[in-house]
Amino acid sequence: MLIDGKTRLAAVIGNPIKHSLSPFIHNLSFQKLGINGVYLAFELTFSDIEITLETIKRLNMFGINVSMPYKQAVLPFLDSISNEAQLMGAVNTICHKEGQLIGYNTDGLGFLKSLENQVHFLIKEKTMVIIGSGSAATAIIVQAAIEGVKKIIIFTRESYLEETKQRMTLLAKKTKTTILTYALAQKELFEEIVLSADLLVNATSIGMDGKSLALPSHEVKLPKNLLVADIIYHPLETPLITYAKQQGLITFNGLGMLIHQAALSFELWTGEKMPVQEILPLLEEQSQQA
């Protein structure tokens, strides 16, 4: 990689962020496409946010990715934000164009693109059951609504239930989408609802320990035509993925979402399409070494 006076910078900010695979993805993409750019990771505090965003303009950076816990904190310092980012109330990508900072959220579309790329699954007119109601789940829910999903059923922890219902009632009105929210502990209801679902998504960290199952119990029967996705990519095979495989279902881990949301950010910055199919097997190797 040549670094000279014309090299432009991109980065990801978060805390913690040193574990991020984004530098690997983007620097490899710059290299393969011959783009004179470098991508770094910066671990920041909340007090650093405003000056960091000012620096994007001062240094004529491509832009930045925003990780937790700053996806909402950056909003007051942006010149504009995209429609999906407004609905999500969070951004994961900031693009520097002609002195303006524009916020986007590529998480939800990245997730849906990964399913489309792997098995040609389109969310339009489908029913999705999603476990979780945090920022990742919200991104997927909003994008599914934008893409014309038929129905979304959310299962979340009891402690988040009322707050999630309030948020999703507002989102349902704005997007004219059917969104229902229930407590994850309701095993019988979960089993009944998942029978008519096309897609089941775990959008929580449950399973990251390699032991915990994201389902309400170890006795849930999943329908034979259900696609099962877990946004976790470390480990690559979570207990949910193993459980679904044992029932003969098609499964997806979080690497697809990771690289496709990165590809969308990359294209916003550079105008070039990331060579996803070249990078994905290398990313899988890298994630196993991490």
Side-chain angles (χ1 to χ4, degrees):
M1 180 184 295
L2 173 66
I3 297 177
D4 58 21
K6 297 179 181 179
T7 303
R8 291 185 71 189
L9 183 65
V12 59
I13 64 170
N15 196 340
I17 202 60
K18 293 177 182 178
H19 64 284
S20 175
L21 291 171
S22 294
F24 175 83
I25 296 170
H26 287 282
N27 285 317
L28 190 54
S29 298
F30 284 143
Q31 180 182 342
K32 286 186 174 293
L33 295 177
I35 295 173
N36 194 347
V38 172
Y39 186 104
L40 301 174
F42 297 124
E43 201 161 273
L44 307 178
T45 63
F46 279 97
S47 61
D48 298 322
I49 297 299
E50 183 174 7
I51 193 168
T52 298
L53 267 63
E54 290 175 3
T55 301
I56 296 172
K57 296 180 180 180
R58 292 175 183 175
L59 298 183
N60 190 31
M61 295 172 63
F62 284 114
I64 62 171
N65 285 130
V66 184
S67 188
M68 296 300 291
Y70 304 129
K71 293 186 177 186
Q72 293 82 34
V74 299
L75 292 174
F77 308 109
L78 301 178
D79 296 297
S80 63
I81 61 174
S82 64
N83 178 54
E84 84 283 342
Q86 289 180 357
L87 289 170
M88 295 171 196
V91 304
N92 78 328
T93 301
I94 298 174
C95 191
H96 177 214
K97 296 288 186 183
E98 299 178 351
Q100 299 285 298
L101 297 182
I102 307 166
Y104 300 87
N105 198 311
T106 66
D107 283 333
L109 187 55
F111 173 77
L112 296 180
K113 286 286 185 184
S114 71
L115 300 185
E116 182 181 346
N117 182 67
Q118 289 173 273
V119 290
H120 307 291
F121 178 87
L122 298 176
I123 199 68
K124 187 174 182 178
E125 294 300 321
K126 301 294 197 310
T127 296
M128 176 175 72
V129 172
I130 186 164
I131 299 168
S133 57
S135 61
T138 301
I140 293 170
I141 291 163
V142 167
Q143 198 65 48
I146 291 171
E147 300 296 324
V149 70
K150 180 180 179 181
K151 185 187 294 186
I152 301 170
I153 303 97
I154 304 163
F155 284 89
T156 189
R157 292 177 179 173
E158 187 75 42
S159 56
Y160 300 137
L161 189 59
E162 289 308 313
E163 183 269 339
T164 301
K165 282 184 176 180
Q166 291 176 13
R167 284 194 295 115
M168 293 304 155
T169 297
L170 291 174
L171 179 61
K173 288 180 181 179
K174 289 179 181 179
T175 61
K176 298 180 180 179
T177 305
T178 300
I179 307 176
L180 305 173
T181 306
Y182 302 106
L184 182 58
Q186 295 180 269
K187 174 182 175 292
E188 290 79 11
L189 180 62
F190 183 94
E191 283 189 316
E192 179 185 338
I193 287 175
V194 82
L195 283 175
S196 60
D198 301 290
L199 173 66
L200 171 64
V201 185
N202 174 36
T204 74
S205 60
I206 301 171
M208 197 174 287
D209 59 2
K211 300 176 182 178
S212 304
L213 182 65
L215 300 175
S217 85
H218 285 78
E219 299 174 354
V220 173
K221 292 182 180 179
L222 302 175
K224 63 180 181 179
N225 294 322
L226 185 71
L227 293 180
V228 178
D230 199 320
I231 69 166
I232 294 170
Y233 55 84
H234 189 72
L236 289 176
E237 185 166 316
T238 62
L240 174 61
I241 296 295
T242 300
Y243 188 88
K245 281 183 175 180
Q246 288 171 348
Q247 298 193 37
L249 303 181
I250 297 174
T251 62
F252 305 91
N253 60 42
L255 275 188
M257 178 179 177
L258 176 66
I259 195 166
H260 281 280
Q261 64 80 24
L264 292 165
S265 298
F266 188 85
E267 188 170 356
L268 286 168
W269 294 329
T270 67
E272 301 287 341
K273 291 190 178 295
M274 180 182 285
V276 169
Q277 296 309 315
E278 290 184 55
I279 294 175
L280 188 55
L282 301 174
L283 177 61
E284 185 168 346
E285 290 179 15
Q286 185 71 15
S287 69
Q288 290 174 331
Q289 296 171 11

